[in-house]
Structure formats: structure tokens, C-alpha cells
């Protein structure tokens, strides 16, 4: 071994392999990078310290080191401290039977709920926006209006009295009965 002052080192030259098991089934080595290879069974990491964590750290691209993934034993959760990128055609699957799937196929993005029950979205206000967040497509306001937009201009809104339509209104197909109020010289087309 080599001397490390108060903390001595045991040094293995590059391309040396530290092997465990009679068949060398688990190996630890360095060769232009650090490697842990396991050839049989499960490679398991366990932290038995009460309320402690397992932390995966790496270079942050600016000369420092940061936590990327933290398995938090005291909170019972896994924290991702950096962006997560999922490649095209790879799904984020949620649920024991992968009932909820979120993915991008290289062209389109999908949220797919294939299980029993409903897909429920809860929020104080739901806003649907164009990419870049520059224009509204729709707003869903709790205990208030549903608003629909065309090219960033509100065209349809629910109100306590019914609905308000900005611009012309066209109906295709038959209508049994309705009440309407036309203002500002709007035309009803049927």
C-alpha cells in the first residue's frame, strides 16, 4: 500500500481487478474510469443506518460535485436533484400494472391511462398553453369559467348564466331547441 499520512491508501495499479467470489462473480476495477461488475444474482446496495440516505453524486459540469439522486431513508422517498431525460419511445410507467404511461415517440407526446378508473387532473387553475408559454389555448377555472382561445383570442367562455361566444357561431346538424341573444350585429348561421 501507499502512505496517505493519517489516512493510508491501499493502491492497486490501473487495470487491476479486485474480485469477489470463487468464480470472480463481482469485480471492482479502474481502467480509464471506475467500474463495478456483477455476473450473478442481484447487485444490492443497502444502508442499515437509521434515518440515513444513499446518495449518488457526480461532477456538475462546473468543477464541483453535486447530488444527482438521493434515496432518503428518513423521509421514505427518492429525490432527483437534476433534470431527468427519458429518450424517445421510452415510457414513464406508473402503477403496479403500468396503467399510466407518459412518453414521446420522436414526433408526438402522449399521456395514456389504460387502467380502470379515471384520469383526474386537479389544480387551483388549469392552463393549457402553446409551447413557449406565450399564448393560452384554454383555461379551466374552479367555480368559474372555462375559456377557449383561438390564436390567443378568447372565443368561448362559460358563465353563471350560460356561455359567451366572441365572434360568429356556426352549428352543424339539427338542434331541437335553444335560446339565443345576438349582439353587435352577430349573425346566426344554421
Amino acid at each position: 500500500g501507499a502512505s496517505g499520512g493519517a489516512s493510508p491508501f491501499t493502491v492497486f495499479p490501473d487495470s487491476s481487478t479486485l474480485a469477489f467470489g470463487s468464480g470472480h462473480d463481482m469485480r471492482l476495477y479502474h481502467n480509464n474510469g471506475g467500474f463495478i461488475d456483477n455476473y450473478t444474482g442481484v447487485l444490492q446496495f443497502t444502508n442499515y443506518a437509521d434515518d440515513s440516505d444513499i446518495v449518488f453524486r457526480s461532477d456538475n459540469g462546473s468543477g464541483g460535485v453535486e447530488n444527482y439522486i438521493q434515496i432518503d431513508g428518513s423521509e421514505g422517498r427518492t429525490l432527483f436533484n437534476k433534470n431527468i431525460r427519458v429518450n424517445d419511445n421510452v415510457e414513464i410507467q406508473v402503477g403496479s400494472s403500468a396503467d399510466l404511461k407518459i412518453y414521446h415517440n420522436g414526433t408526438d407526446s402522449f399521456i395514456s391511462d389504460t387502467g380502470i378508473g379515471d384520469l383526474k387532473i386537479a389544480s387551483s387553475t388549469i392552463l393549457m398553453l402553446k409551447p413557449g408559454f406565450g399564448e393560452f389555448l384554454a383555461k379551466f377555472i374552479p367555480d368559474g369559467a372555462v375559456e377557449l382561445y383561438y390564436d390567443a383570442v378568447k372565443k368561448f367562455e362559460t358563465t353563471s348564466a350560460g356561455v359567451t361566444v366572441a365572434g360568429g357561431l356556426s352549428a352543424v346538424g339539427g338542434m331541437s331547441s335553444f335560446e339565443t341573444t345576438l349582439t353587435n350585429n352577430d349573425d346566426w348561421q344554421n
Side-chain angles (χ1 to χ4, degrees):
S3 174
S7 301
F9 290 88
T10 301
V11 177
F12 297 86
D14 285 345
S15 300
S16 297
T17 300
L18 187 60
F20 298 88
S22 57
H24 307 148
D25 298 324
M26 203 280 258
R27 302 171 190 178
L28 176 67
Y29 61 97
H30 180 273
N31 185 6
N32 294 322
F35 299 88
I36 299 173
D37 294 343
N38 186 54
Y39 292 90
T40 185
V42 176
L43 179 61
Q44 181 170 312
F45 296 89
T46 305
N47 184 357
Y48 288 103
D50 289 343
D51 296 328
S52 193
D53 303 344
I54 296 174
V55 177
F56 294 88
R57 305 177 75 209
S58 186
D59 176 72
N60 64 4
S62 299
V65 175
E66 294 186 26
N67 292 359
Y68 278 67
I69 302 172
Q70 180 174 348
I71 302 169
D72 190 329
S74 62
E75 295 288 331
R77 62 183 178 179
T78 302
L79 304 173
F80 294 87
N81 300 306
K82 295 292 183 180
N83 292 334
I84 299 169
R85 179 175 294 173
V86 179
N87 289 332
D88 291 345
N89 298 306
V90 177
E91 300 172 344
I92 297 172
Q93 299 180 348
V94 181
S96 299
S97 299
D99 297 328
L100 175 63
K101 300 173 183 176
I102 302 172
Y103 62 98
H104 181 79
N105 69 1
T107 304
D108 299 309
S109 299
F110 299 87
I111 300 173
S112 176
D113 178 19
T114 59
I116 59 172
D118 301 321
L119 175 63
K120 299 178 180 181
I121 301 172
S123 176
S124 57
T125 299
I126 297 174
L127 305 175
M128 297 180 73
L129 306 164
K130 284 181 67 174
F133 305 107
E135 296 180 7
F136 288 111
L137 301 173
K139 293 182 184 179
F140 302 87
I141 303 165
D143 303 320
V146 171
E147 301 175 359
L148 302 178
Y149 291 75
Y150 178 85
D151 197 18
V153 177
K154 182 168 49 173
K155 294 295 185 176
F156 182 92
E157 176 181 7
T158 61
T159 67
S160 60
V163 298
T164 300
V165 177
L169 177 65
S170 298
V172 178
M175 299 180 71
S176 58
S177 66
F178 63 92
E179 293 181 14
T180 183
T181 301
L182 300 176
T183 60
N184 299 328
N185 297 321
D186 289 337
D187 293 326
W188 173 257
Q189 301 172 15
N190 188 3

